[in-house]
C-alpha cells in the first residue's frame, strides 16, 4: 500500500512471505526512484500498482517478458536471483543482502547483537550501480 512508502525518505515497507521478510523497511535504489515516484503520485489506487495479488502480478510479468522478446521461461524469482548476484558482484555485505531480500539471518551476533543504522543498508544497496 502507498501508506507503506515514504517517497521523501526513499524507503518502502514490504514483504509478507516469511517472518524475516515481513514488514521490513527497504531503501529505494536511486535508479528506480523515478519509477516508484511516478506510480506513487499517479493513479487512484491505495496500492503502488493496480492489483497486488500474486497471480495477477505473474500474468503481467509474463506479458512483459513476451513484449520484450525475452525467454518465456523467465519467472519472477529470476529477479531475486539477478538482484542477489548484482549485490554480491558490487561487494555488498552478506547480511545487508539478506536483510534486503528478507532472508533469515542465522548468525546470533548479527541477528541479535548487531544494531545497524538504516543508512548502512542504504549505503550497501547503493553499491549496486
Amino acid at each position: 500500500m502507498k501508506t507503506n512508502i515514504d517517497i521523501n525518505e526513499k524507503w518502502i515497507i514490504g514483504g509478507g512471505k516469511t517472518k524475516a521478510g515481513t514488514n521490513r523497511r527497504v531503501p529505494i535504489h536511486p535508479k528506480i526512484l523515478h519509477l516508484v515516484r511516478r506510480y506513487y503520485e499517479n493513479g487512484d489506487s491505495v496500492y503502488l500498482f493496480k492489483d497486488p495479488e500474486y497471480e495477477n502480478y505473474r500474468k503481467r510479468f509474463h506479458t512483459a517478458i513476451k513484449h520484450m522478446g525475452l525467454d518465456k521461461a523467465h519467472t519472477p524469482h529470476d529477479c531475486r536471483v539477478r538482484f542477489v548476484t548484482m549485490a554480491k558482484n558490487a561487494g555488498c555485505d552478506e547480511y545487508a543482502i539478506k536483510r534486503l531480500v528478507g532472508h533469515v539471518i542465522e548468525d546470533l551476533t548479527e541477528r541479535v547483537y548487531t544494531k545497524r543504522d538504516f543508512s548502512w543498508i542504504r549505503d550497501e544497496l547503493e553499491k549496486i550501480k
Side-chain angles (χ1 to χ4, degrees), residues 25-128:
R25 186 169 61 144
V26 178
I28 301 168
H29 195 283
K31 286 194 173 189
I32 66 163
L33 180 61
H34 70 284
L35 296 171
V36 175
R37 188 181 304 277
R38 180 173 17 151
Y39 282 97
Y40 182 83
E41 293 173 351
N42 296 323
D44 299 328
S45 177
V46 296
Y47 297 103
L48 186 62
F49 302 110
K50 186 175 180 179
D51 185 352
E53 294 299 319
Y54 184 72
E55 277 308 309
N56 294 323
Y57 165 75
R58 275 179 35 108
K59 289 175 189 172
R60 286 193 304 276
F61 178 87
H62 289 294
T63 299
I65 291 295
K66 183 178 179 181
H67 177 75
M68 292 184 286
L70 299 174
D71 184 346
K72 61 184 174 186
H74 281 297
T75 67
H77 184 72
D78 292 343
C79 301
R80 293 174 64 83
V81 172
R82 180 70 182 139
F83 172 78
V84 171
T85 301
M86 289 174 69
K88 286 184 177 249
N89 288 341
C92 293
D93 182 270
E94 195 74 25
Y95 295 120
I97 296 169
K98 288 180 181 191
R99 290 177 193 267
L100 287 164
V101 297
H103 288 170
V104 172
I105 295 176
E106 298 290 339
D107 181 81
L108 180 69
T109 304
E110 182 66 25
R111 181 173 38 90
V112 176
Y113 297 106
T114 306
K115 301 302 176 199
R116 308 261 190 190
D117 291 334
F118 188 69
S119 61
W120 169 77
I121 200 163
R122 181 180 305 283
D123 291 345
E124 290 299 308
L125 175 67
E126 291 180 7
K127 287 180 179 178
I128 303 169

